[in-house]
């Protein structure tokens, strides 16, 4: 191993996990990638390909793959987890037997657990002995990054060393890695923006025009910010890469899975068929459920999210939903700026978060 | 003749307590339970390891203070030279500012001495050179250290623990043996009113394997006495614990407190240097293997709710001591954090606490000096209520945690969520090195405090008084149009009542919900609720309420139950606030305290 090289375990050889492992290997670190099956690990080790999840990527030869947890995790300083939210807990459970308390963990999953609405960092705390947790989020379409295009991302953690180790292994001339400490906001933003992406997909498909789409996206952003702040996030997170940055990409790109779900719904296809045809997970479909229940718990009215939810689960026609929204009385666009509160936004993210957690 | 003697910490008076006095008392007609308690106390012999711990503690006490002072001073000096650190003049000026502000409102003998001391410091400060500045810091810290350190005296400890049950029982009779004689046989022992549940045996094991931080819930000033006595009853060596300076003003209490192992915490001292010294004292005492009691809620729960937001300062002493122990290669480096939930059917200071909560919602008085705790009659009424009834205080010792929030097994090993043994020392390592990282430790502490709160909730015992108050408030709330809970409480007045039959139904419903929660190990249920019928439970609660509070909380009026005091009703129901019982939303703000 080279001087200063870090040993990294990446759990999850999906599109994003494979790409992350590839980037880390390029930076000269030792990467081991956990695959679901033995065949997949053979393919990566021998042909340096992952035809199912990252078909276009020629994987760096230093990435070694295995389907056995202990081979991947043992001795790693940093564990990266890129697993869909619905199987995240299961993977944590299987990995736990081999984890050690001095390992750092960063997850790159944008979603909340179905049913419990737990954030992924909470799942890690509940299922493993790990404490030093971070989250990676931002406008990162895996295929673009795999193709060598430039991008930026955020690692947020309450543990400064986790952020610096994450930057050390990931940052390069291709990828700017920013730091943050609002774990809650970063996770919520990454999950909820997928709901807005579904709305944007519908808008594109219905050809309502750019103005109307911008109206939906901006109001959607206001709604997810309001909900997240009520849960304890810092509003500033939403003007950053993990907030507006991520939202711009997901709402603009027809590659985005959630965007595709929205477009298909606007064409009148039933949800079940869309999901089974796609073969990958669209987090927004679950997130809409979570956001609606959380909004009720915090006594918030979120008209756009409510409509997306009804389109998904109650068969509301997207055009009808849009009409309903346009007929609603328009109130204040954004909240009043309160200078007295401003310093506290910078200083006490921790106490803000703990209000939600404790 | 066995003779126990001790010296009062304050005056030079000597206290004698001839042990065989109880035997003649017994034959002379002292209520058998009283005499039995006294006799059992004096005849009891501590186990060898407990005796060894007491001996060690006597040896360590002076060194502990010196080391606390030396370390705090070293810390301040080191920080003053670091980039961005405060120079010593600033540190001293800050102390002067905080102390003078405090002293402007204080007027006792101690305050006068403090004033003289700080006047001198102020005079000297402008002319002090580096060396003198260091000395001044040392003098200030030494002054704080002196005040904080306990006056633990093993002889008095022996007497105090053995006298406490008798003392409490005597309190009950207005300190009169004559009265006690007349009431003979009708009084149950205070010991029967304390129920110890949970992991008592494990706690005893862990106290031998490492150092224990016992972290109880805090509802009443009685908690300090109760914990001191509970520790003795559980056959543990004496613990150190921080107790508010205001508790030391009563000479009788002060005597017990000091000698049950208390050290002083003056919450009026806002000087950061004082807090630093206090935290260092706790850390060093843990390193000396002195078991500690901390109340992580910081202050008594004003609302009556279980504290959900803990003060993390002293809690952090656990990680600090653990890290220091690892560096020193200590033989028993482990620190065990043991949550303890105390559930009272009645709370001595309930009326004052809830009053403070409601009045100053958003701006608490924080330290109350003039509550029921200082009024002897209220004490007597309280104990009488407690003893005359079949009501018990439940002390639940929770599952032990390591300083990182992992559960600990009977061998003192940390377990991960799947029951695998993990090495807690690894949490302090980075790149194979043991490293200091205050930001990391603060986060560990946050996780620990969440786990403690989870244990508190799990170990709360739902008592008849809590259940009845919850039901009555909920029934009234459902009928009210008022959404704001504080306005709603003001609408409850004399004459607010609910039909008994509705209460009975709701109690039945609630008990079945509670049983479900108890089965899922999310709460504990008292015996009355576990086995009795709703009307017996209601009867029980009404009886309890009627014994102590001057205005009855709830009273039976024909076929209805009438609410006498909305504040107290709210107070007793708040214990069950977070469980979502009867479909009610939580009424307390999420932080629990204003």
């Amino acid at each position: 191993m080279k001087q200063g090289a870090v040993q990294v375990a990446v759990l999850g050889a999906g599109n994003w996990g494979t790409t992350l492992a590839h980037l880390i290997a390029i930076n000269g670190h030792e990467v081991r990638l956990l695959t679901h099956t033995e065949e997949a690990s053979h393919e990566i080790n021998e042909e340096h390909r992952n035809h199912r999840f990252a078909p276009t990527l020629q994987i760096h030869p230093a990435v070694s793959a295995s389907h056995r947890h202990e081979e991947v995790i043992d001795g790693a300083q940093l564990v990266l987890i890129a697993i869909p939210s619905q199987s995240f807990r299961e993977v944590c459970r299987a990995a736990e037997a081999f984890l050690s308390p001095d390992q750092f963990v960063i997850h790159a999953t944008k979603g909340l657990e179905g049913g419990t609405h737990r954030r992924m960092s909470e799942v890690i705390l509940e299922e493993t002995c790990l404490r030093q947790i971070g989250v990676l989020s931002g406008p990162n379409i895996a295929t673009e990054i795999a193709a060598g295009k430039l991008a930026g991302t955020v690692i947020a953690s309450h543990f400064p060393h986790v952020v610096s180790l994450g930057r050390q292994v990931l940052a390069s001339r291709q990828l700017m890695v920013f730091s943050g400490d609002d774990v809650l906001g970063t996770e919520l933003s990454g999950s909820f923006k997928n709901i807005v992406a579904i709305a944007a997909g519908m808008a594109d498909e219905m050809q309502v025009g750019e103005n109307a789409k911008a109206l939906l996206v901006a109001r959607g952003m206001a709604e997810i910010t309001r909900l997240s702040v009520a849960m304890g996030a810092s509003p500033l997170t939403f003007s950053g890469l993990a907030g507006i940055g991520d939202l711009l990409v997901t709402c603009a790109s027809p590659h985005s899975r959630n965007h595709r779900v929205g477009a298909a719904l606007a064409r009148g296809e039933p949800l079940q068929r869309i999901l089974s045809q796609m073969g990958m997970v669209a987090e927004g479909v679950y997130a809409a459920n979570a956001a609606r229940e959380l909004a009720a718990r915090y006594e918030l009215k979120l008209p756009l999210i409510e409509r997306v939810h009804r389109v998904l689960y109650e068969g509301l026609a997207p055009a009808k939903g849009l009409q309903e929204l346009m007929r609603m009385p328009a109130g204040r666009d954004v909240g009043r700026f309160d200078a007295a509160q401003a310093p506290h936004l910078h200083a006490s993210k921790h106490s803000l978060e703990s209000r939600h957690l404790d | 003749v066995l003779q126990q003697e001790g010296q009062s910490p304050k005056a030079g008076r000597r206290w004698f307590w001839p042990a065989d006095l109880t035997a003649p008392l017994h034959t002379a007609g002292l209520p058998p339970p009283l005499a039995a308690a006294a006799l059992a106390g004096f005849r009891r012999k501590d186990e060898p390891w407990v005796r060894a711990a007491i001996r060690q503690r006597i040896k360590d006490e002076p060194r502990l203070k010196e080391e606390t002072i030396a370390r705090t001073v070293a810390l301040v000096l080191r920080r003053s030279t670091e980039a961005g650190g405060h120079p010593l003049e600033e540190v001293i000026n800050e102390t002067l500012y905080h102390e003078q502000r405090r002293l402007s409102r204080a007027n006792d003998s101690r305050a006068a001495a403090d004033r003289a001391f700080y006047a001198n410091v102020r005079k000297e400060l402008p002319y002090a050179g580096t060396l003198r500045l260091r000395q001044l810091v040392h003098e200030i810290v030494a002054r704080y250290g002196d005040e904080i350190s306990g006056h633990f005296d093993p002889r008095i400890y022996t007497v105090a623990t053995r006298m406490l049950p008798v003392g409490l029982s005597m309190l009950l009779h207005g300190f009169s043996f004559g009265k006690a004689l007349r009431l003979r046989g009708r009084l149950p022992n205070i010991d029967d009113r304390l129920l110890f549940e949970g992991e008592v045996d494990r706690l005893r094991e862990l106290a031998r394997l490492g150092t224990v931080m016992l972290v109880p819930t805090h509802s009443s000033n009685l908690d300090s006495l109760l914990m001191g006595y509970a520790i003795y009853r559980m056959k543990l060596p004496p613990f150190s614990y921080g107790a508010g300076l205001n508790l030391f003003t009563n000479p009788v209490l002060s005597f017990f407190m000091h000698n049950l192992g208390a050290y002083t915490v003056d919450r009026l001292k806002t000087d950061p240097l004082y807090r630093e010294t206090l935290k260092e004292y706790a850390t060093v005492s843990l390193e000396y293997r002195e078991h500690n009691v901390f109340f992580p809620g910081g202050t008594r729960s004003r609302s009556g709710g279980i504290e959900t937001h803990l003060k993390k300062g002293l809690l952090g002493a656990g990680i600090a001591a653990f890290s220091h122990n690892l560096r020193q290669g200590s033989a028993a480096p482990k620190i065990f954090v043991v949550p303890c939930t105390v559930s009272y059917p009645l709370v001595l200071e309930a009326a004052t606490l809830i009053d403070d909560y409601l009045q100053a919602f958003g701006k608490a008085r924080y330290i109350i000096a003039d509550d029921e705790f200082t009024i002897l009659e209220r004490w007597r009424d309280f104990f009488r209520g407690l003893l005359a009834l079949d009501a018990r205080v439940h002390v639940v010792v929770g599952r032990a945690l390591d300083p990182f929030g992992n559960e600990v097994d009977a061998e003192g090993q940390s377990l991960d969520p799947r029951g695998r043994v993990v090495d807690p020392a690894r949490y302090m390592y980075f790149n194979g090195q043991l490293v200091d990282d205050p930001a990391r430790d603060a986060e560990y502490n946050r996780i620990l405090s969440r786990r403690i709160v989870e244990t508190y909730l799990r170990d709360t015992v739902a008592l008849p008084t809590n259940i009845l108050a919850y039901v009555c408030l909920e029934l009234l709330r459902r009928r009210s149009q008022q959404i704001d809970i504080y306005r709603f409480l003001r609408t409850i007045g004399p004459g607010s009542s609910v039909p008994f039959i509705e209460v009975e139904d709701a109690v039945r419903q609630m008990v079945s919900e509670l049983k479900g929660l108890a089965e899922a190990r999310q709460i504990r249920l008292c015996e009355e609720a576990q086995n009795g019928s709703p009307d017996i439970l209601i009867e029980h609660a009404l009886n309890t309420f009627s014994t102590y509070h001057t205005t009855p909380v709830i009273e039976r009026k024909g076929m209805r139950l009438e609410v006498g005091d909305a504040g107290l009703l709210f107070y007793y129901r708040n214990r069950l606030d977070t469980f979502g019982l009867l479909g009610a939303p939580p009424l307390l703000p999420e932080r629990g305290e204003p």
Side-chain angles (χ1 to χ4, degrees):
Chain A
M1 206 159 57
K2 275 190 304 185
Q3 191 73 33
V6 178
Q7 197 173 323
V8 184
V10 179
L11 310 189
N15 195 353
W16 191 211
T18 309
T19 307
L20 286 170
H22 172 70
L23 292 178
I24 295 167
I26 291 176
N27 283 349
H29 302 286
E30 194 194 324
V31 196
R32 280 171 286 172
L33 180 61
L34 181 76
T35 58
H36 201 60
T37 61
E38 199 173 349
E39 294 79 62
S41 63
H42 281 318
E43 192 194 6
I44 293 169
N45 290 335
E46 280 143 36
E47 299 164 36
H48 310 297
R49 289 267 169 202
N50 181 352
H51 82 275
R52 181 155 173 226
F53 292 108
T56 57
L57 180 65
Q58 177 67 47
I59 302 167
H60 193 283
V63 175
S64 75
S66 168
H67 69 293
R68 298 162 67 93
H69 289 85
E70 63 270 39
E71 284 176 10
V72 172
I73 293 167
D74 201 42
Q77 269 172 281
L78 174 66
V79 179
L80 265 170
I81 312 184
I83 300 278
S85 63
Q86 301 315 306
S87 31
F88 198 91
R89 187 180 289 274
E90 198 186 309
V91 171
C92 285
R93 277 187 189 162
E96 169 53 15
F98 311 103
L99 293 169
S100 162
D102 51 354
Q103 288 174 323
F104 291 1
V105 56
I106 296 175
H107 80 80
T109 301
K110 293 171 183 171
L112 300 175
E113 188 178 44
T116 65
H117 312 328
R118 290 273 202 284
R119 296 177 284 117
M120 296 306 116
S121 62
E122 293 178 303
V123 175
I124 296 173
L125 266 183
E126 282 172 11
E127 296 296 341
T128 74
C129 64
L130 301 182
R131 296 287 181 274
Q132 309 198 53
I133 302 171
V135 49
L136 174 85
S137 185
N140 305 133
I141 296 173
T143 344
E144 279 188 16
I145 295 180
K149 293 185 180 167
L150 306 184
T153 195
V154 181
I155 295 176
S157 173
H158 300 308
F159 296 90
H161 280 132
V162 172
V163 177
S164 56
L165 192 69
R167 293 172 94 153
Q168 190 189 334
V169 301
L170 269 173
S172 66
R173 290 201 184 143
Q174 188 202 340
L175 184 68
M176 289 179 84
V177 182
F178 293 82
S179 64
D181 61 5
D182 182 14
V183 175
L184 175 76
T186 308
E187 288 184 305
L188 292 180
S189 166
S191 313
F192 293 151
K193 57 101 197 187
N194 291 325
I195 311 168
V196 185
I198 294 178
M202 295 180 201
D204 278 341
E205 186 65 29
M206 292 189 292
Q207 298 186 338
V208 292
E210 294 302 320
N211 291 339
K213 184 181 165 191
L215 170 68
L216 288 178
V217 172
R219 291 314 303 166
M221 184 65 174
E223 286 184 16
I224 63 179
T225 309
R226 217 140 49 88
L227 176 57
S228 306
V229 170
M231 292 171 68
S234 158
L236 297 179
T237 302
F238 294 81
S239 58
L241 269 185
I244 189 75
D246 201 0
L247 189 69
L248 277 176
V249 151
T250 358
C251 293
S253 160
H255 299 297
S256 149
R257 296 173 212 169
N258 295 291
H259 189 282
R260 271 153 59 197
V261 170
L265 285 167
R267 284 193 298 271
E269 294 176 33
L271 181 64
Q272 281 319 316
R273 201 170 73 205
I274 303 171
L275 292 182
S276 62
Q277 274 175 3
M278 207 159 53
M280 285 197 272
V281 180
E283 297 278 2
V285 176
Y286 304 106
N289 238 332
R292 204 184 67 132
E293 279 179 38
L294 289 165
R297 192 185 301 169
Y298 290 91
E299 297 175 357
L300 294 173
K301 283 212 172 70
L302 308 175
L304 179 80
I305 290 176
E306 174 71 34
R307 298 298 179 301
V308 172
H309 185 270
R310 278 168 55 199
V311 170
L312 284 170
Y313 296 103
E314 291 168 26
L316 173 72
K320 178 96 190 314
L322 183 60
Q323 269 177 16
E324 281 180 18
L325 285 175
M326 291 306 286
R327 265 194 239 117
M328 289 185 63
R332 232 191 139 82
D333 179 27
V334 289
R336 202 185 293 270
F337 175 69
D338 184 352
Q341 270 192 359
H344 127 113
L345 294 181
H346 305 283
S348 61
K349 269 166 221 144
H350 287 195
S351 64
L352 280 171
E353 188 185 352
S354 64
R355 264 174 51 188
H356 168 60
L357 291 167
D358 290 347
Chain B
V1 173
L2 188 106
Q3 205 166 47
Q4 307 266 1
E5 65 171 274
Q7 201 158 27
S8 157
K10 273 195 155 179
R13 266 180 301 159
R14 295 179 80 77
W15 296 55
F16 290 96
W17 185 259
D20 62 342
L21 247 184
T22 47
L25 276 181
H26 185 39
T27 46
L30 186 74
L34 273 186
L39 276 174
F42 285 105
R43 280 185 189 152
R44 177 176 138 171
K45 216 170 163 196
D46 290 320
E47 288 169 50
W49 72 283
V50 173
R51 285 207 303 267
I54 295 178
R55 275 201 302 277
Q56 190 57 41
R57 185 159 173 171
I58 306 163
K59 266 196 227 151
D60 288 342
E61 202 85 20
R63 282 196 293 161
L64 202 164
K65 187 167 86 184
E66 289 318 311
E67 183 148 355
T68 303
I69 295 168
R71 271 210 230 170
T72 314
V73 172
L75 184 77
V76 174
L77 295 186
R78 196 172 64 234
R79 276 199 202 144
S80 71
T81 57
E82 277 169 10
H86 298 283
L88 294 183
E89 293 96 316
E90 260 180 53
V91 173
I92 297 173
N93 256 321
E94 181 138 9
T95 299
L96 284 174
Y97 166 74
H98 284 280
E99 281 297 274
Q100 287 184 341
R101 215 171 54 146
R102 174 181 71 86
L103 288 166
S104 68
R105 271 165 283 171
N107 51 349
D108 52 48
S109 57
R110 215 192 291 249
D114 281 352
R115 258 188 223 111
F117 173 75
Y118 287 113
N120 238 338
V121 173
R122 167 143 298 195
K123 229 183 285 166
E124 275 196 55
L125 192 58
Y127 312 102
T130 319
L131 191 66
R132 183 62 191 141
L133 283 174
R134 286 182 187 177
Q135 283 171 344
L136 283 176
V137 169
H138 190 277
E139 282 172 29
I140 295 170
V141 172
R143 207 175 167 76
Y144 285 153
D146 262 339
E147 185 192 278
I148 293 166
S149 341
H151 306 270
F152 180 75
D153 182 319
R155 291 163 301 176
I156 304 188
Y157 173 77
T158 315
V159 179
T161 44
R162 282 147 181 74
M163 266 177 57
L164 197 65
V166 185
L168 287 178
S169 301
M170 273 172 60
L171 207 59
L172 172 74
H173 304 297
F175 291 106
S176 140
F177 269 108
K179 239 180 180 175
L181 293 182
R182 284 199 301 280
L183 286 167
R184 55 191 282 195
R186 276 197 278 140
L187 281 160
N189 190 341
I190 192 102
D191 273 350
D192 299 337
R193 291 292 163 257
L194 287 179
L195 264 189
F196 294 95
E197 296 167 46
E199 315 269 344
V200 179
D201 293 337
R202 183 166 300 185
L203 171 58
R204 282 169 47 75
E205 276 311 304
L206 294 177
R208 306 174 72 152
L209 294 166
T211 312
V212 172
M213 283 171 74
L214 194 62
V215 287
T217 54
H218 199 7
S219 331
S220 163
N221 280 335
L222 269 183
D223 292 336
S224 298
L225 275 179
L226 184 78
M227 290 323 296
Y229 182 60
I231 285 158
Y232 164 77
R233 265 284 306 274
M234 291 190 272
K235 298 184 184 162
L236 291 162
F239 278 44
S240 288
Y241 57 101
L245 193 64
N246 52 327
L247 299 188
F248 288 94
T249 45
N250 177 330
V252 179
L253 270 181
S254 166
F255 168 79
F256 279 113
M257 303 277 286
H258 266 313
N259 295 296
L260 291 174
Y263 58 87
T264 323
V265 179
D266 185 355
R267 285 175 299 171
L268 289 172
K269 289 203 173 73
T270 46
D271 179 13
L273 195 53
Y274 175 76
R275 306 226 160 135
E276 205 73 67
T277 315
L278 191 61
K279 192 184 163 189
E280 206 59 54
Y281 182 85
T283 309
V284 177
S285 77
L286 285 170
E287 287 167 23
Y288 274 101
R289 290 212 54 193
E290 263 182 32
H291 311 298
N292 265 263
V293 182
F294 298 114
F295 292 104
T299 170
R300 289 169 291 173
S301 166
R302 293 295 190 266
S303 62
I306 296 156
E307 39 268 78
T308 52
H309 198 263
L310 306 183
K311 295 251 186 309
K312 298 174 189 80
L314 282 182
L315 215 50
I319 292 178
F322 182 56
S323 153
H324 203 263
N325 283 349
L326 288 177
R327 280 178 199 285
Q328 301 292 311
S330 147
K334 286 188 179 171
I335 307 284
F336 305 115
V337 182
V338 182
C340 178
T341 311
V342 184
S343 303
Y344 290 97
L346 287 173
V347 174
L348 181 69
E349 309 100 310
T352 312
L353 291 172
I354 194 63
D355 202 38
D356 188 51
Y357 179 84
L358 292 174
Q359 275 190 12
F361 187 67
K363 206 186 197 177
R365 276 197 281 165
Y366 196 63
I367 295 164
I368 303 173
D370 51 350
D371 57 26
E372 294 87 341
F373 195 73
T374 53
I375 308 168
L376 201 60
E377 286 72 40
R378 300 303 294 145
W379 273 72
R380 217 174 52 206
D381 294 348
F382 177 78
F383 280 106
R384 237 182 229 165
L386 211 59
L387 288 180
L389 290 164
D390 192 21
R392 294 189 180 95
V393 177
H394 292 252
V395 179
V396 181
V397 176
R399 181 65 63 90
L401 303 166
D402 69 13
F404 313 96
N406 293 301
E407 286 198 355
V408 168
D409 68 10
E411 280 87 54
Q413 306 182 100
S414 300
L415 303 177
D416 78 355
R418 317 209 64 73
R420 177 179 60 115
V421 174
V422 291
D423 177 8
R426 300 307 299 177
Y427 286 105
M428 311 303 288
Y429 279 78
F430 178 61
N431 261 344
Q433 303 268 328
L434 191 65
V435 287
D436 277 330
D437 180 350
R440 173 198 66 192
D441 295 350
E443 281 306 309
Y444 283 152
N445 217 4
R446 249 160 48 89
I447 293 165
L448 171 67
S449 95
R450 251 182 275 157
R451 298 267 154 102
I452 293 174
V453 170
E454 285 167 19
T455 314
Y456 282 168
L457 293 172
R458 227 179 14 238
D459 286 344
T460 297
V461 181
L463 298 170
T465 43
N466 304 128
I467 297 173
L468 183 63
Y470 191 95
V471 163
C472 289
L473 191 107
E474 182 53 19
L475 292 177
L476 287 169
R477 201 185 65 88
R478 281 183 197 164
R479 284 175 206 184
S480 162
Q481 303 298 312
Q482 189 52 258
I483 296 167
D484 182 80
I485 177 69
Y486 302 98
R487 290 197 188 151
F488 157 66
L489 285 175
R490 259 175 263 146
T491 65
I492 303 181
S496 295
S497 65
V498 272
F500 186 86
I501 204 151
E502 271 182 44
V503 175
E504 204 178 355
D505 280 347
V507 167
R508 185 174 295 118
Q509 165 71 23
M510 182 148 155
V511 168
S512 92
E513 285 176 26
L514 282 168
K515 280 182 179 162
L517 286 178
E519 238 158 69
R521 298 244 182 135
Q522 289 173 29
I523 198 169
R524 282 168 180 257
L525 209 47
C526 64
E527 213 176 299
E528 294 86 353
Q530 191 68 260
N531 305 322
S533 64
D535 56 313
I536 293 176
L537 187 142
I538 296 170
E539 207 52 49
H540 200 290
L542 288 174
N543 276 339
T544 311
F545 277 140
S546 69
T547 54
Y548 169 64
H549 290 294
T550 39
T551 41
V553 184
I554 308 165
E555 246 182 330
R556 192 167 185 153
K557 289 268 167 79
M559 291 307 285
R560 299 179 79 82
L561 292 184
E562 196 176 282
V563 175
D565 189 320
L568 286 173
L569 187 74
F570 187 53
Y571 178 88
Y572 283 106
R573 95 33 80 221
N574 284 343
R575 203 73 185 162
L576 304 176
D577 181 65
T578 47
F579 297 94
L581 295 157
L582 298 178
L587 300 181
L588 297 177
E590 287 200 34
R591 287 182 71 140
E593 294 298 321

